[in-house]
Amino acid sequence: MDIISRIKQNESFREVKKYYALVEKINNLENEYEALSDDELKGKTIEFRNRLEKGETIHDLTVEAFATVREASKRVLGMRHFDVQLLGGIVLLHGNISEMATGEGKTLVASLPSYLVALEGKGVHVITVNDYLAQRDRDIVGQIHEFLGLKVGLNIPGLGTQEKQAAYNCDITYGVGTEFGFDYLRDNTVNELSQKVQRPYHYAIIDEIDSVLIDEAKTPLIIAGKDKPSGRLYKVCASVIKSLKEEEDYTYDLELKTVNFTEKGLNKCEKVFGIPNLFDLEHSSLFHSLLQALRARVLYKRDVDYIVEDGEIKLVDMNTGRIMEGRSLSNGLHQAIESKEGLVNTEENKTMALITVQNYYRMYPLLSGMTGTAKTEESELRETYGMNVVQIPSNKPNQRVDMSDRVFMTKEQKYDFLLKEVKERHQTGQPILIGTTSILQSEEVAKLLDREQLEYQLLNAKSVQQEAKLISLAGQKDRITIATNMAGRGTDIMLGEGVAELGGLHVIGTERNESRRIDNQLKGRSGRQGDPGSTQFIISVEDYLFIRYAADELERMKPKFKANEIGEITSSNVHKFVETAQKISEGIHYQFREYNLKLENVTNKQRDIVYQLRDKLLEEENAIQFVMKQTADLPKKLIQTFCEEDSLPEEWDLERLSEELNKISLVPFQLEEKEFQSDEELIDFVKDHFKQNLEELSQYEDNEEIQMNAKGVVLFVIDTLWKKHLDTMNQLKEGIGIRQYQQEDPVQLYEKEGYKLFETLFNDIEYEIATRLIILIHRANEKEDNSENS
Ligand code: ADP
């Protein structure tokens, strides 16, 4: 059946139907474009640019530009975009998500809109899930763009400033999402505008967009400065926590993955440290360390969340099972885990700058993405990012058979059946991919296969390249591959010779995942581009998913389940139960992301304001001017502090006021000896006096050295106070988790308190830059006096 009839027949392709007319127009241009010489084809780029300049839009040019890219691809790579790939490209151009199965050629799809939007000259970012793929895509697809006269760059970690700038100044820049986010953060810590590497954001295409926006959204991008560890404290806390009992001393919310002390637990800790109240402000860092130690003990499991290697804690990426080299947890959590494992503490990461991946991408005026699995999360993607998920038909009809789950009473029975199943299929030579949910489970399965001396490839903790290589071979005859779910995502599994006849690749899932989306990712490894293939989940009701999300339900239903002699549950309602548990899990995760995003929005707005202030300073030639403007209201604020409104002049603390005013003024104030009759009189006097100060200050505007130092000092003040503020906000967040018990809306509370803290931050910044400028000038004058005297 051809594509257009498949589109017409299937309701889920409703949205692409309207784009099909464009595809036909592109097809109609094919003969004409085929007849063009290479130079004529390349000339299209200049023509399109001119037309854009004259007022046409990218949408006016879609048909011709896509026809150009397709023709160039035929000449350069020998690949002709399939009609469905054109459809996918149009969806991306409109800022939506193309849902296309694995192996449908998403990389080539991105070549279409990236070319067209790049013609506007404002940059296009093509985001891949790892450096390996970024490089690969740049090297292959980039050839099409280079042939058409565009510049294509690669943004990878470790490049110098100039190399980064060059990469960002290209028409199209490939790279991993996190690196783009880190560059954003770094750009906002530079001391000179010329050190910034990014241009304003324009358009991004995100490959595997669900991984990037949903799975990886939990861990924010953090630029950390190192801090000395707080010595023995973590060790002590770890041993105190060891003596606590679940339920009695602390509660553990399995669903939300949070822990909290009970009254009793708090009392125990207070006793150990001999203090009356852990909530007292002076003990906040002790409380923080205890809480981190509790988290380290309860929430972080060895060989699931991290491994211990060479005396170090190495974090495991839950999605890929891969070690995240060089990544560590912030705010003492890493040290808490080290102490729990009895290791020497490394230096602590103090957050200097932070942004979540979601908020980073929300800065792009036009955002789009591709993935095999997004439809189940469509409403979230629409609400948070304003993107629709559009299902694109596959190039060839899908032949994959998804068999219904086999559900067992116990884990042991599940594994027995799994082993039997693997053995039987393996005897025929059919390749098998076993997808697990953690490294630990991968190892369990590996041991199982060892029992029967079955040979397998275990994809744990491998480098990205090794992983890609092993995964790409998973479709060869006789192969058994064990991998955590997302390992090697983005790499195609091609079938070996004779494998199609054996039924193609068979995928076995050993546990249902926390969302249907991840299950679908695993299934998608099989049956690429119309290949035969099959999938099945072999699970048990003892699996984590059910214990965590449907414990009560399970207890109720378990006695009623009927099982056969091998322990397989034969009651048909077990499938409904599985589905329900997964839906609960999806709902909870969504709520959790939504909650975090709301909290994050608060700091996000604050970050915007601080970074804008920073930019204003960087753009300013005249740092003294900047300080004068920025602190214009400061005298008034000081007056309000020391001479409260509606108070009598004799109640005023003129001594303190004049002390403070002198810190921000070159011209000395002496208020104590003055007699003021009213507020107005005082205000007028200070205003007048301050005007003299400004005049005095402006005399230094031509002094280059002072200007340069002033700029440095102001930057330092903004950065240091912002860093401290992030810390405070983090503690506020922790506190709010606890106060939830008091029935207050945590988000509102966070907004309210966060706003107050932010006001304080701005006041502190004003005060600090004003006083430091004065000190700086005094010092410079002293130095001059000294050198004159000597
Ligand atoms: P996906 O990311 O969608 O899983 P890839 O972009 O990795 O798919 O492409 C899968 C394979 O199909 C690659 O080997 C690619 O070269 C090939 N391919 C993609 N599009 C075409 C095409 N139009 N013609 C021929 N081969 C193609």
Side-chain angles (χ1 to χ4, degrees):
M1 211 190 317
D2 66 356
I3 284 153
I4 187 66
S5 355
R6 270 194 286 143
I7 292 177
K8 281 185 179 152
Q9 260 184 21
N10 193 331
E11 188 42 27
S12 54
F13 300 138
R14 197 181 36 195
E15 281 164 280
V16 288
K17 230 188 309 188
K18 61 175 183 238
Y19 293 138
Y20 201 76
L22 286 176
V23 171
E24 282 178 324
K25 283 188 191 158
I26 299 167
N27 286 340
N28 288 340
L29 283 181
E30 187 155 11
N31 287 339
E32 186 190 319
Y33 280 42
E34 235 166 28
L36 298 177
S37 71
D38 278 2
D39 282 340
E40 283 167 330
L41 192 60
K42 290 175 187 183
K44 288 281 175 195
T45 298
I46 301 159
E47 178 200 323
F48 295 149
R49 277 185 170 143
N50 286 337
R51 284 165 57 188
L52 283 172
E53 220 154 85
K54 292 212 180 86
E56 282 186 66
T57 70
I58 47 172
H59 298 290
D60 299 327
L61 296 178
T62 307
V63 170
E64 292 158 84
F66 278 30
T68 303
V69 175
R70 183 194 252 176
E71 186 56 33
S73 172
K74 275 155 64 180
R75 295 187 192 182
V76 182
L77 302 179
M79 283 195 271
R80 175 183 177 276
H81 293 74
F82 304 127
D83 286 2
V84 288
Q85 289 177 316
L86 300 177
L87 282 173
I90 296 168
V91 169
L92 296 181
L93 193 66
H94 287 85
N96 288 320
I97 296 173
S98 295
E99 187 180 87
M100 302 178 79
T102 324
E104 287 293 303
K106 289 188 274 292
T107 321
L108 200 61
V109 171
S111 67
L112 300 156
S114 59
Y115 168 75
L116 177 48
V117 179
L119 296 175
E120 293 184 299
K122 296 177 191 164
V124 172
H125 296 168
V126 183
I127 311 296
T128 58
V129 284
N130 60 49
D131 293 326
Y132 165 78
L133 291 174
Q135 173 113 34
R136 187 196 72 179
D137 292 354
R138 192 218 93 96
D139 290 349
I140 297 173
V141 174
Q143 290 176 42
I144 305 174
H145 299 129
E146 278 169 353
F147 173 86
L148 289 171
L150 298 190
K151 280 211 211 86
V152 188
L154 183 65
N155 177 35
I156 44 173
L159 295 182
T161 305
Q162 276 171 1
E163 292 164 306
K164 285 247 173 206
Q165 283 167 339
Y168 278 112
N169 283 329
C170 288
D171 297 298
I172 300 172
T173 311
Y174 282 87
V176 191
T178 46
E179 190 59 16
F180 286 79
F182 280 131
D183 285 338
Y184 165 73
L185 293 177
R186 279 190 290 256
D187 266 2
N188 283 297
T189 54
V190 298
N191 293 328
E192 292 285 340
L193 273 186
S194 62
Q195 290 167 349
K196 286 202 177 202
V197 297
Q198 293 189 331
R199 293 195 270 168
Y201 305 114
H202 186 47
Y203 177 47
I205 304 172
I206 308 179
D207 194 11
E208 312 283 2
I209 191 164
D210 56 325
S211 294
V212 174
L213 294 184
I214 297 174
D215 301 321
E216 286 164 20
K218 276 172 255 166
T219 21
L221 304 173
I222 293 176
I223 292 197
K226 296 286 181 191
D227 230 22
K228 285 263 164 296
S230 359
R232 283 171 35 81
L233 188 57
Y234 287 114
K235 292 242 143 41
V236 179
C237 289
S239 74
V240 173
I241 294 299
K242 232 186 203 162
S243 69
L244 301 187
K245 293 192 189 71
E246 190 168 335
E247 292 303 328
E248 199 177 308
D249 300 319
Y250 64 88
T251 56
Y252 170 29
D253 188 326
L254 198 62
E255 286 181 3
L256 285 175
K257 277 216 151 206
T258 53
V259 286
N260 258 321
F261 291 108
T262 62
E263 209 45 53
K264 203 161 171 200
L266 286 172
N267 286 339
K268 270 193 192 168
C269 295
E270 283 162 357
K271 234 187 236 155
V272 174
F273 290 97
I275 53 172
N277 186 358
L278 258 178
F279 287 129
D280 281 347
L281 211 56
E282 55 180 317
H283 300 306
S284 67
S285 90
L286 173 61
F287 178 66
H288 173 78
S289 305
L290 280 166
L291 199 58
Q292 296 297 50
L294 184 62
R295 288 189 181 127
R297 166 165 166 207
V298 183
L299 302 182
Y300 288 82
K301 301 246 176 320
R302 187 167 171 166
D303 290 331
V304 177
D305 302 289
Y306 65 89
I307 60 165
V308 178
E309 198 178 86
D310 306 328
E312 280 175 42
I313 300 293
K314 295 193 172 166
L315 298 179
V316 172
D317 181 339
M318 282 299 278
N319 298 314
T320 59
R322 201 183 299 134
I323 306 281
M324 300 195 279
E325 286 295 346
R327 289 281 279 275
S328 59
L329 297 159
S330 285
N331 297 319
L333 193 52
H334 210 78
Q335 288 63 34
I337 298 176
E338 288 167 344
S339 302
K340 163 182 154 189
E341 296 291 347
L343 306 172
V344 179
N345 279 160
T346 50
E347 276 180 285
E348 190 170 324
N349 278 337
K350 273 275 185 225
T351 305
M352 283 172 66
L354 161 151
I355 190 169
T356 59
V357 178
Q358 294 114 312
N359 274 321
Y360 172 72
Y361 283 111
R362 292 208 285 188
M363 294 191 289
Y364 284 79
L366 189 61
L367 189 61
S368 65
M370 315 176 277
T371 174
T373 47
K375 204 67 191 175
T376 50
E377 254 72 27
E378 181 169 29
S379 63
E380 176 173 354
L381 291 162
R382 191 184 295 130
E383 272 160 38
T384 318
Y385 304 96
M387 286 190 277
N388 293 320
V389 179
V390 182
Q391 287 183 303
I392 311 287
S394 54
N395 188 41
K396 292 187 195 146
N398 186 0
Q399 283 198 57
R400 193 184 72 214
V401 182
D402 297 323
M403 296 184 273
S404 82
D405 295 0
R406 313 289 293 254
V407 192
F408 292 82
M409 287 299 262
T410 70
K411 254 189 190 166
E412 227 182 318
Q413 291 161 337
K414 157 174 107 172
Y415 278 144
D416 285 345
F417 182 77
L418 179 95
L419 186 59
K420 189 172 136 278
E421 178 76 9
V422 171
K423 235 169 79 181
E424 276 172 16
R425 286 193 183 260
H426 181 65
Q427 264 158 14
T428 70
Q430 183 177 30
I432 302 165
L433 174 68
I434 306 174
T436 69
T437 53
S438 69
I439 293 189
L440 201 65
Q441 212 184 62
S442 286
E443 274 160 9
E444 273 172 26
V445 173
K447 276 201 203 106
L448 198 69
L449 300 192
D450 284 339
R451 271 197 343 224
E452 295 283 336
Q453 274 131 28
L454 290 166
E455 239 182 79
Y456 55 82
Q457 299 293 327
L458 180 62
L459 253 75
N460 277 351
K462 295 274 191 307
S463 73
V464 184
Q465 278 94 327
Q466 284 172 315
E467 213 175 85
K469 188 158 165 258
L470 285 174
I471 272 286
S472 72
L473 294 173
Q476 300 300 308
K477 212 172 160 205
D478 294 325
R479 277 246 171 181
I480 303 176
T481 310
I482 308 171
T484 49
N485 289 313
M486 315 248 288
R489 247 196 123 178
T491 310
D492 233 20
I493 304 181
M494 292 198 210
L495 298 185
E497 230 181 82
V499 168
E501 291 74 35
L502 299 169
L505 177 69
H506 182 66
V507 170
I508 301 177
T510 59
E511 252 184 43
R512 282 289 203 106
N513 291 283
E514 287 177 348
S515 71
R516 282 167 293 163
R517 191 173 48 81
I518 313 239
D519 288 350
N520 289 340
Q521 284 168 6
L522 180 63
K523 291 183 196 165
R525 316 276 355 198
S526 165
R528 63 178 278 286
Q529 291 195 8
D531 280 346
S534 51
T535 69
Q536 186 162 53
F537 282 83
I538 300 175
I539 61 180
S540 87
V541 290
E542 287 182 345
D543 290 351
Y544 184 62
L545 180 75
F546 309 114
I547 294 169
R548 182 162 170 193
Y549 299 105
D552 297 343
E553 178 93 344
L554 182 62
E555 208 167 304
R556 209 163 45 74
M557 298 195 52
K558 214 169 173 180
K560 295 189 210 146
F561 283 147
K562 289 199 180 56
N564 62 16
E565 64 287 354
I566 56 167
E568 182 173 6
I569 300 175
T570 49
S571 323
S572 60
N573 60 352
V574 72
H575 297 291
K576 184 86 198 144
F577 167 72
V578 170
E579 202 179 299
T580 311
Q582 203 169 32
K583 285 220 173 107
I584 295 174
S585 156
E586 283 174 11
I588 285 172
H589 281 102
Y590 177 39
Q591 274 172 18
F592 193 65
R593 286 194 293 272
E594 208 185 10
Y595 170 73
N596 273 326
L597 197 68
K598 278 188 188 153
L599 293 188
E600 169 65 21
N601 278 345
V602 177
T603 19
N604 204 42
K605 279 188 214 132
Q606 299 181 346
R607 177 179 42 243
D608 265 0
I609 298 171
V610 170
Y611 284 177
Q612 272 168 25
L613 180 73
R614 227 183 165 275
D615 278 346
K616 214 161 100 189
L617 174 66
L618 290 180
E619 283 156 20
E620 178 75 75
E621 291 284 314
N622 190 333
I624 294 177
Q625 268 284 332
F626 177 89
V627 176
M628 292 198 293
K629 268 192 236 151
Q630 212 58 50
T631 60
D633 282 340
L634 194 53
K636 217 165 93 197
K637 284 186 192 160
L638 288 172
I639 294 177
Q640 279 161 1
T641 312
F642 297 107
C643 312
E644 274 176 53
E645 234 180 308
D646 299 328
S647 62
L648 299 169
E650 47 269 34
E651 291 170 326
W652 295 347
D653 190 348
L654 288 180
E655 202 177 320
R656 281 295 305 284
L657 179 62
S658 94
E659 196 181 305
E660 290 303 325
L661 285 172
N662 274 321
K663 285 192 198 160
I664 61 168
S665 169
L666 283 177
V667 189
F669 272 89
Q670 263 180 339
L671 299 174
E672 303 95 310
E673 290 144 30
K674 297 253 167 339
E675 295 273 327
F676 296 105
Q677 301 305 321
S678 66
D679 298 23
E680 288 85 33
E681 229 174 81
L682 171 67
I683 293 174
D684 284 344
F685 176 81
V686 171
K687 241 192 208 159
D688 255 10
H689 205 90
F690 216 69
K691 224 185 252 159
Q692 291 173 35
N693 171 51
L694 292 185
E695 276 161 27
E696 190 92 354
L697 268 176
S698 44
Q699 290 180 9
Y700 293 92
E701 283 179 25
D702 298 331
N703 186 325
E704 264 176 50
E705 195 185 330
I706 291 186
Q707 284 284 23
M708 203 181 68
N709 291 341
K711 197 170 190 169
V713 165
V714 177
L715 275 176
F716 174 79
V717 168
I718 297 177
D719 291 348
T720 323
L721 291 180
W722 170 242
K723 213 162 50 188
K724 211 176 105 207
H725 175 75
L726 280 178
D727 226 21
T728 324
M729 289 296 283
N730 193 41
Q731 280 173 12
L732 176 65
K733 205 188 269 175
E734 277 183 0
I736 274 170
I738 295 161
R739 275 199 271 179
Q740 237 169 8
Y741 290 110
Q742 295 161 9
Q743 309 284 311
E744 286 175 87
D745 174 25
V747 176
Q748 264 179 24
L749 202 64
Y750 187 69
E751 268 172 6
K752 206 172 72 193
E753 306 267 310
Y755 180 75
K756 277 194 225 151
L757 288 172
F758 192 61
E759 254 186 348
T760 313
L761 167 70
F762 254 76
N763 287 337
D764 290 352
I765 289 179
E766 277 178 19
Y767 179 77
E768 285 292 320
I769 60 178
T771 52
R772 282 170 190 245
L773 177 65
I774 302 298
I775 296 177
L776 196 128
I777 292 176
H778 281 321
R779 291 251 168 86
N781 288 339
E782 278 164 25
K783 218 169 77 190
E784 213 145 88
D785 288 348
N786 287 344
S787 54
E788 269 167 26
N789 292 343
S790 60

